[in-house]
Amino acid sequence: MEAIIVKDLKYEYYTRGESQPVIALDEISFTVSEGEFIAVVGKNGSGKSTLAKHLNGLLLPAGGSVCVFGRYTDAQELIWDIRRILGMVFQNPDNQLVATTVEEDIAFGPENLGIEPEEIRHRVKESLKKVSMEGFDEYSPHMLSGGQKQRIAIAGVLAMHPRCIVLDEATSMLDPEGRKDVMSVLKKLNSEENITIVLITHHMNEAAQADRVIVMDEGKAVLSGKPDEIFGEYRLLRQIGLDIPQVSDLYVRMVNEGLIKNGRIPVLIDEAEQVFTDILSGRKTSAGYGTVTARKTGEKIVEIKNLSYTYMAGTPYERHALRDVSLTVYKGEKLGIIGHTGSGKSTLIQHLNGLLSPTAGTVEVSGIIPEGKSLKELRRKVGLIFQNPEDQLFEETVEKDIAFGLKKMGLSDSEVNRRINEALSITGLPADILKKSPFELSGGQKRRVAIAGVIVMEPDILVLDEPTAGLDPQGSAGIYEFLSRLNESKNTTIIIVSHTMEDIARFCDRVAVMEEGKIIMVEETRSVFSNKEYLEKTGLDVPQITELFYRLNKKNQSVRKDILTVQEGLDEMKRIMGI
């Protein structure tokens, strides 16, 4: 049986001041069989979320049709039946959380279906277990971290026992262990309960685990096939702003340089381990370790000593978010902060510009202690970009939004214009975007506008909380490119909180690892990711390319295991092969 039939689906919308509509979906057609696991990938603005909202009738076709288990979405009398059998998990979990406790939130759907109370209690416990959130029944959803909220949103859908689940970037806020957990849950539901899965994702490692991948571009389905077939079309993928898994990228580079013959491209780590083990079979040379870039030292720009912070102290909901944290950040360095969901990362960085005040301990930034009248000066020196930077946008035009902070400083019009133009250049935004409403922009553009509104203040320190969550690979690469330019041209200190280990490995000089409100490691990036087993114990992971070479090292000690990027991996393969 076909679970979903999309035929000639068209959808368009109008933006303010425009006479011509924007075509979001352009006569797209595809089918999904019952029990199939489908991944949908595409750059920001390609139509993925618009498509997802058509699958359960949140949007209705302007042309064509959508049929879900024999029910057409434009038949309004069937819409509640469709939404019962096709569960939807959105990118932002706050859009789905409605109750005062986690238990009530997960029970909301089953209660509306008229399920017996005893069965509802069973489903709540079952769903919490599936997303590894046991023991959180009585928590308020709004006290949870972003990743924890997303798990609760997924649990709420699972409690309704749907026949199909559509997830729109539902893992984008989760830590590596959380993403693995969710993928494991989805694969188990798919294989054991025959639940159809439609996963919209920018994580190519997730798409690689699907039965089939659909690639969207400008409202059309431009490719459809098994993961190895899709990633074999890497040139087309990169043209439309996508990428391929790191192990696939390494294989492709070796083929293109004539080091190996072209064959079936590996897309999963286990496949890649076998392929590259065979390539290196019988080869053994002395281990070679390249030079390690020394971290920047010298002027201390942030000094945190014995910092502790407790939420809702003295209440039944008291929670110790930070415990005796000490950290030094040096001027001009790029520091990554990693840790599992709820480890205290976001709480820590909110102390850097005085949004939170220590329960105990001290914070000093550029010689300023965040308190009283010093806060105004501090917030000019420290720019903070939140986890959902779109929440920082509020003006009617992009220009007014970027200039808001500058106007409060009493700068001349010429200086304001200079800073705005420079911010546009650094963030890669076009000049004609200034007159548009920030709410008409794509997710990636909104994020850049939010960042531009901070960097026009010319802060000494830029702190970013999950700066690329929800962005396509091209958008993510663009963010890090302009952060690098900012760091190099102005010696701006960059502090990044991220769950994407590949980005941290490529960008950061040093990495601080957090667990349960404590900093348990602060070292150079290469040293941190060489501690794979230790990181895994804390709910973290290493970049996929690092994982591959770690496995190859176990079979051949002459292979380096501290590889951080695909280029380093290619260089190491050449060295081992004597090329």
Side-chain angles (χ1 to χ4, degrees):
M1 179 181 180
E2 300 296 353
I4 299 170
I5 302 174
V6 176
K7 187 173 182 181
D8 300 326
L9 176 61
K10 188 170 183 177
Y11 186 78
E12 57 190 30
Y13 60 88
Y14 286 85
T15 59
R16 189 184 65 172
E18 297 292 334
S19 59
Q20 294 298 315
V22 175
I23 299 176
L25 296 174
D26 191 3
E27 297 187 354
I28 186 172
S29 298
F30 65 90
T31 61
V32 179
S33 300
E34 184 171 13
E36 198 172 9
F37 193 134
I38 298 292
V40 180
V41 300
K43 65 184 177 184
N44 292 108
S46 62
K48 305 185 301 300
S49 294
T50 304
L51 171 64
K53 290 173 183 174
H54 275 82
L55 298 183
N56 73 342
L58 285 173
L59 294 176
L60 298 178
S65 62
V66 177
C67 184
V68 179
F69 289 98
R71 302 159 178 84
Y72 285 90
T73 59
D74 57 359
Q76 285 300 301
E77 69 275 11
L78 300 177
I79 201 67
W80 296 112
D81 195 26
I82 289 172
R83 289 174 184 168
R84 179 184 62 80
I85 60 178
L86 189 145
M88 184 89 169
V89 181
F90 295 98
Q91 184 175 11
N92 187 347
D94 287 322
N95 296 339
Q96 283 185 266
L97 302 178
V98 296
T100 55
T101 69
V102 165
E103 183 178 43
E104 290 172 353
D105 211 293
I106 297 173
F108 183 80
E111 283 174 347
N112 280 277
L113 296 176
I115 306 297
E116 291 295 321
E118 188 60 37
E119 172 64 13
I120 290 176
R121 283 191 286 272
H122 170 71
R123 290 192 184 191
V124 169
K125 290 187 180 298
E126 173 190 60
S127 300
L128 281 171
K129 185 176 181 181
K130 285 179 178 178
V131 296
S132 302
M133 289 290 285
E134 302 102 311
F136 282 81
D137 315 49
E138 300 303 320
Y139 274 69
S140 166
H142 304 289
M143 288 176 60
L144 303 178
S145 70
Q148 289 171 324
K149 288 179 183 178
Q150 192 60 284
R151 295 191 200 193
I152 297 305
I154 293 171
V157 169
L158 292 177
M160 299 183 57
H161 289 187
R163 293 172 68 182
C164 176
I165 300 176
V166 178
L167 302 101
D168 186 7
E169 290 287 346
T171 64
S172 63
M173 295 296 184
L174 298 185
D175 58 43
E177 185 176 54
R179 285 202 295 269
K180 283 183 180 179
D181 287 346
V182 170
M183 289 301 295
S184 177
V185 167
L186 295 178
K187 287 191 285 187
K188 186 175 182 180
L189 292 169
N190 177 249
S191 61
E192 296 182 5
E193 301 181 33
N194 205 40
I195 292 179
T196 307
I197 305 292
V198 179
L199 177 68
I200 295 172
T201 183
H202 285 138
H203 291 284
M204 296 301 152
N205 297 346
E206 293 178 354
Q209 299 175 56
D211 301 323
R212 184 158 57 98
V213 179
I214 296 174
V215 181
M216 291 188 65
D217 185 42
E218 296 183 354
K220 295 178 180 289
V222 295
L223 285 176
S224 178
K226 293 180 179 179
D228 62 303
E229 297 169 345
I230 296 301
F231 296 142
E233 300 288 342
Y234 60 92
R235 289 188 178 89
L236 174 59
L237 292 178
R238 284 171 175 156
Q239 282 176 11
I240 61 175
L242 299 177
D243 210 338
I244 58 178
Q246 286 187 320
V247 294
S248 306
D249 191 9
L250 177 60
Y251 183 87
V252 164
R253 292 192 193 195
M254 292 185 70
V255 169
N256 289 344
E257 293 204 16
L259 304 178
I260 56 174
K261 293 181 179 179
N262 197 7
R264 183 177 180 276
I265 188 171
V267 298
L268 299 172
I269 188 70
D270 291 342
E271 297 171 353
E273 180 184 1
Q274 187 59 56
V275 167
F276 289 104
T277 297
D278 291 344
I279 292 171
L280 296 179
S281 180
R283 298 177 186 269
K284 190 169 184 179
T285 66
S286 60
Y289 287 82
T291 58
V292 177
T293 304
R295 65 176 165 88
K296 294 183 180 180
T297 57
E299 183 183 344
K300 296 177 182 179
I301 197 166
V302 176
E303 188 77 44
I304 299 172
K305 293 182 180 178
N306 309 117
L307 172 63
S308 295
Y309 187 80
T310 303
Y311 284 105
M312 303 182 76
T315 75
Y317 296 107
E318 179 174 289
R319 181 166 66 89
H320 299 288
L322 296 175
R323 304 169 186 266
D324 198 31
V325 170
S326 295
L327 175 68
T328 299
V329 183
Y330 297 92
K331 184 170 178 60
E333 84 165 323
K334 297 173 290 186
L335 176 74
I337 302 177
I338 62 176
H340 62 78
T341 299
S343 62
K345 306 183 300 296
S346 296
T347 302
L348 174 62
I349 62 173
Q350 287 180 56
H351 281 80
L352 297 180
N353 73 343
L355 285 177
L356 296 177
S357 298
T359 302
T362 59
V363 176
E364 190 173 328
V365 181
S366 293
I368 301 170
I369 296 174
E371 59 185 13
K373 294 181 179 179
S374 67
L375 285 176
K376 187 174 183 180
E377 183 184 358
L378 176 70
R379 287 169 183 164
R380 289 183 182 179
K381 291 180 176 290
V382 181
L384 179 58
I385 312 291
F386 294 102
Q387 199 165 31
N388 296 312
E390 303 79 44
D391 294 343
Q392 291 174 250
L393 306 177
F394 57 91
E395 283 281 14
E396 59 182 336
T397 68
V398 168
E399 184 174 25
K400 288 183 178 180
D401 216 302
I402 295 175
F404 181 81
L406 297 178
K407 296 292 186 183
K408 300 294 182 184
M409 294 171 64
L411 300 176
S412 67
D413 289 344
S414 61
E415 176 62 10
V416 168
N417 290 332
R418 182 193 70 77
R419 291 199 186 191
I420 289 175
N421 290 331
E422 185 177 50
L424 290 181
S425 175
I426 291 172
T427 55
L429 288 167
D432 62 5
I433 205 171
L434 290 175
K435 301 304 178 186
K436 293 184 178 180
S437 164
F439 305 106
E440 295 174 1
L441 308 179
S442 70
Q445 288 175 321
K446 285 180 181 177
R447 194 153 304 199
R448 288 170 183 251
V449 170
I451 295 173
V454 172
I455 64 176
V456 288
M457 306 294 288
E458 299 186 347
D460 296 333
I461 303 170
L462 189 60
V463 186
L464 303 101
D465 192 358
E466 294 288 352
T468 61
L471 295 187
D472 58 51
Q474 187 177 61
S476 178
I479 294 287
Y480 280 103
E481 282 172 13
F482 79 68
L483 288 177
S484 293
R485 288 200 300 272
L486 192 64
N487 175 258
E488 291 166 9
S489 63
K490 296 182 178 292
N491 202 33
T492 304
T493 304
I494 310 284
I495 300 176
I496 299 274
V497 172
S498 180
H499 285 141
T500 307
M501 300 300 110
E502 288 80 4
D503 291 342
I504 292 291
R506 276 194 300 264
F507 181 77
C508 295
D509 305 317
R510 278 196 308 155
V511 178
V513 183
M514 295 194 69
E515 182 182 26
E516 295 181 354
K518 298 180 179 179
I519 289 184
I520 58 174
M521 184 193 303
V522 186
E523 293 182 16
E524 274 85 8
T525 303
R526 197 178 301 279
S527 298
V528 169
F529 287 123
S530 294
N531 284 278
K532 178 178 178 295
E533 290 92 346
Y534 186 69
L535 291 176
E536 286 179 341
K537 287 178 183 176
T538 67
L540 297 174
D541 207 344
V542 296
Q544 189 189 49
I545 197 73
T546 308
E547 167 74 17
L548 173 63
F549 278 85
Y550 193 90
R551 293 188 184 191
L552 295 177
N553 171 267
K554 283 196 167 183
K555 297 179 178 181
N556 182 344
Q557 294 294 307
S558 62
V559 177
R560 282 177 58 178
K561 67 177 183 179
D562 63 339
I563 299 299
L564 296 181
T565 65
V566 175
Q567 183 59 52
E568 287 185 3
L570 179 61
D571 292 342
E572 180 64 2
M573 291 298 293
K574 288 180 177 179
R575 188 187 68 81
I576 295 292
M577 296 170 74
I579 295 171

